[in-house]
Amino acid sequence: MNLRPGARALALLLLSSAACGGPPTPSPVEGEPICPDFEVGATRAPMRGSLRFPVTLTVRDGKDPITRATLTGRRSKDDPVSRVLLADEDAEYELEWAQCENERAPRARTLSHQTKHTAEYACGHATVYKTDKLVTRKGDAASRTVHFAAPPKPECWESELPAAPPAPSPTAVAEPAPADASAEPAAADAGAADAGAVDAGARGAGATPADAGAPRGAGAAPRDGGAGGAPKPPSAGAGDAGVTPQGS
């Protein structure tokens, strides 16, 4: 029976899956570092968080690699975890962890048409820093969970902003102008003069004239026009003005 090329490839895939115990299924990678988004430059351009030096994971069945993934870190704890394809079967794998020698260039947070068509990241030489064993059991999804091995350089890209200008020095407080020394004595003298005027008015209001004398009325002694203040004797004839002279 002749098969078309597409049907032939599908038949080979099904036969391979049956021999391996089932098709590959996505298996989670837990513990991948979280690299939050950051900003760069004077315009504070928003960039996507990632590891500066990504990590490659190679899963080997014996000496043959069966899957490989490049891990760049999650942008937040809410991002889905990375996954690798492993067959649902009883097997034992070797996990090979290596870190790329090249930095992964930061990418804009919003991917534009040009960004999507830029050259893919080139890892360069990847240095193996750890190997693990993974034993899977058919029908047990938890056995296919891969635990991330921390690399020697775990740094994430961080904000690189220009230095802020120095803060201006606080404005010196102007000292108050010195008071006019000549004005103070004048003010003091004016106050003293006012006080004197008040005292003079008080004294004038309560003083009694020296020549006011005693009040007019009974008991007042007649004043002597002569010296000494003695009472003036009565004039001659004054007492007998109404008496008829004798012998008339």
Side-chain angles (χ1 to χ4, degrees), residues 14-79:
L14 292 175
L15 291 175
S16 175
S17 299
C20 294
T25 58
S27 301
V29 179
E30 291 187 351
E32 189 176 0
I34 295 177
C35 295
D37 293 349
F38 60 99
E39 298 175 339
V40 294
T43 60
R44 305 181 72 94
M47 310 299 288
R48 301 169 67 89
S50 67
L51 290 169
R52 292 176 66 98
F53 298 92
V55 170
T56 62
L57 168 61
T58 304
V59 181
R60 298 180 182 275
D61 184 2
K63 294 183 179 181
D64 301 326
I66 60 174
T67 186
R68 179 177 294 164
T70 300
L71 307 176
T72 60
R74 299 163 60 195
R75 296 169 58 193
S76 72
K77 63 180 182 180
D78 297 327
D79 277 4

Side-chain angles (χ1 to χ4, degrees):
M1 180 177 60
N2 294 328
L3 296 176
R4 291 179 297 176
R8 186 180 304 169
L10 179 59
L12 291 175
L13 178 61
L14 292 175
L15 291 175
S16 175
S17 299
C20 294
T25 58
S27 301
V29 179
E30 291 187 351
E32 189 176 0
I34 295 177
C35 295
D37 293 349
F38 60 99
E39 298 175 339
V40 294
T43 60
R44 305 181 72 94
M47 310 299 288
R48 301 169 67 89
S50 67
L51 290 169
R52 292 176 66 98
F53 298 92
V55 170
T56 62
L57 168 61
T58 304
V59 181
R60 298 180 182 275
D61 184 2
K63 294 183 179 181
D64 301 326
I66 60 174
T67 186
R68 179 177 294 164
T70 300
L71 307 176
T72 60
R74 299 163 60 195
R75 296 169 58 193
S76 72
K77 63 180 182 180
D78 297 327
D79 277 4
V81 299
S82 299
R83 295 179 181 273
V84 293
L85 295 176
L86 295 175
D88 182 14
E89 63 177 356
D90 296 331
E92 182 176 333
Y93 301 106
E94 182 180 87
L95 307 180
E96 185 179 86
W97 301 94
Q99 188 163 34
C100 300
E101 65 176 355
N102 295 333
E103 290 185 346
R104 182 177 185 270
R107 298 187 179 186
R109 187 179 303 173
T110 302
L111 297 178
S112 62
H113 177 74
Q114 295 179 352
T115 307
K116 293 179 180 179
H117 290 81
T118 55
E120 292 295 328
Y121 167 71
C123 176
H125 177 70
T127 303
V128 177
Y129 61 88
K130 189 175 182 180
T131 56
D132 289 329
K133 293 291 184 180
L134 179 66
V135 178
T136 62
R137 294 180 296 274
K138 186 175 181 179
D140 185 1
S143 67
R144 295 193 301 274
T145 300
V146 177
H147 296 278
F148 185 85
K153 299 178 182 179
E155 299 87 2
C156 298
W157 281 105
E158 297 180 354
S159 296
E160 297 178 0
L161 304 176
S169 59
T171 305
V173 179
E175 297 182 358
D180 189 358
S182 61
E184 293 182 358
D189 294 344
D194 294 342
V198 172
D199 293 343
R203 288 195 299 272
T208 304
D211 57 352
R216 295 181 181 180
R223 294 185 178 184
D224 184 11
K232 185 178 179 180
S235 300
D240 54 359
V243 178
T244 302
Q246 295 180 1
S248 55

